[in-house]
Amino acid sequence: MAFHISYKKGPHMATTVYGAKAFIDILKGVIRDVRVTWLLEELGAPYERVVLDPEKEENKTPEYLALNPTGKVPTLVDESITLFESAAICEYLAEKHQKFIPKHGTPEYWKSRQWSYWLVSNLEPQTGRIFACDFFYDQNETTSEIRGLALNVLPRFLSVLESRLATHKFMLGEEFSVADILLTTNLQSIQHTPILGDYPSVKKYYENCTARPAFQKARSQNGLAE
Ligand SMILES: N[C@@H](CCC(=O)N[C@@H](CS)C(=O)NCC(=O)O)C(=O)O
């Protein structure tokens, strides 16, 4: 099984990212491990991918659950630390490499974390809900009610982003950071909808971030076993 690869420790395998195989096409490029591999590509840091097959329940084995009791991906095994939750993993890696996050403890650092928490706790449930309603749930009254609720809430968050990105190239200003990885991957979930048509600065920002070679590399391998 795929997860056994991780036990072959060696100097070139210090950083291992567990991701998942896309069992439907729409998932290719959007599975959450893309955040981690995108950041590692930006950092130019070597890493090993382990792609679990959810259809074979490789994310539910005792070995994997010992690394990540939620049974989700991504999980990072990096030297002596094992972490789950993509935002936490990205913050850890950025701090470790002292890149793409402001210096620890500074006001800018806390602003960065403020945006990251906001993105994962406010925006992400809505973008995720729309994606799930459109691609996973049965199309019925309940689904359209859930989707409708998300659509009603989204403008409140997208308008915050629109005003910020009208005057800032990236979430923290002129420098690309972890917050941009979290936001861009959120916006991926609504690309099949016309929603961003009402938010030109967010749309331009999305195009700018997704044009980055590191993102393109991470997206192209996401969901695929090597
Ligand atoms: N908040 C988590 C979400 C992780 C998550 O939902 N991962 C999905 C793939 S995108 C997963 O592992 N699904 C498999 C499952 O639920 O069994 C994170 O950002 O790491």
Side-chain angles (χ1 to χ4, degrees):
M1 279 190 205
F3 63 84
H4 286 308
I5 299 165
S6 68
Y7 300 105
K8 282 192 250 151
K9 291 274 180 206
H12 59 290
M13 293 179 68
T15 301
T16 303
V17 181
Y18 289 78
K21 194 171 156 198
F23 51 88
I24 51 171
D25 268 0
I26 191 75
L27 285 175
K28 281 184 193 147
V30 305
I31 301 173
R32 283 287 176 253
D33 49 291
V34 75
R35 288 178 165 168
V36 182
T37 54
W38 179 6
L39 178 56
L40 286 161
E41 291 291 337
E42 294 278 359
L43 290 165
Y47 62 95
E48 171 91 5
R49 287 167 65 233
V50 176
V51 183
L52 304 174
D53 186 346
E55 287 187 310
K56 294 186 187 151
E57 302 209 325
E58 288 179 351
N59 55 330
K60 306 268 174 65
T61 61
E63 289 88 344
Y64 185 67
L65 293 175
L67 300 176
N68 180 345
T70 73
K72 301 257 185 186
V73 296
T75 300
L76 176 82
V77 179
D78 185 49
E79 294 164 7
S80 59
I81 193 168
T82 300
L83 283 176
F84 59 88
E85 277 301 319
S86 56
I89 295 171
C90 287
E91 288 186 342
Y92 159 77
L93 286 170
E95 284 214 44
K96 177 184 166 185
H97 291 267
Q98 297 189 16
K99 218 169 164 200
F100 305 124
I101 198 162
K103 193 171 165 7
H104 190 99
T106 58
E108 293 75 21
Y109 170 84
W110 290 110
K111 287 281 181 197
S112 159
R113 299 200 70 186
Q114 159 203 280
W115 283 116
S116 294
Y117 283 124
W118 182 78
L119 289 165
V120 297
S121 66
N122 283 269
L123 186 68
E124 190 150 325
Q126 314 310 329
T127 54
R129 221 155 265 155
I130 289 175
F131 191 83
C133 286
D134 293 349
F135 299 113
F136 293 127
Y137 299 166
D138 292 338
Q139 297 308 307
N140 57 33
E141 229 172 85
T142 312
T143 304
S144 82
E145 203 175 316
I146 294 170
R147 193 181 195 280
L149 289 172
L151 275 182
N152 284 344
V153 176
L154 259 185
R156 179 161 180 198
F157 303 138
L158 289 174
S159 52
V160 171
L161 292 168
E162 180 62 20
S163 28
R164 184 157 186 86
L165 296 171
T167 54
H168 297 73
K169 186 170 178 199
F170 295 112
M171 280 305 286
L172 301 186
E174 289 310 296
E175 302 284 327
F176 179 82
S177 73
V178 163
D180 299 302
I181 291 182
L182 301 179
L183 175 53
T184 305
T185 47
N186 256 293
L187 298 174
Q188 277 183 287
S189 307
I190 51 169
Q191 287 311 301
H192 63 288
T193 76
I195 296 170
L196 286 194
D198 294 334
Y199 304 92
S201 303
V202 182
K203 191 167 189 293
K204 190 164 160 244
Y205 162 90
Y206 179 78
E207 283 158 7
N208 179 23
C209 288
T210 52
R212 295 175 75 89
F215 171 77
Q216 301 211 348
K217 165 108 194 271
R219 179 175 59 183
S220 67
Q221 68 186 5
N222 181 259
L224 303 172
E226 284 178 279

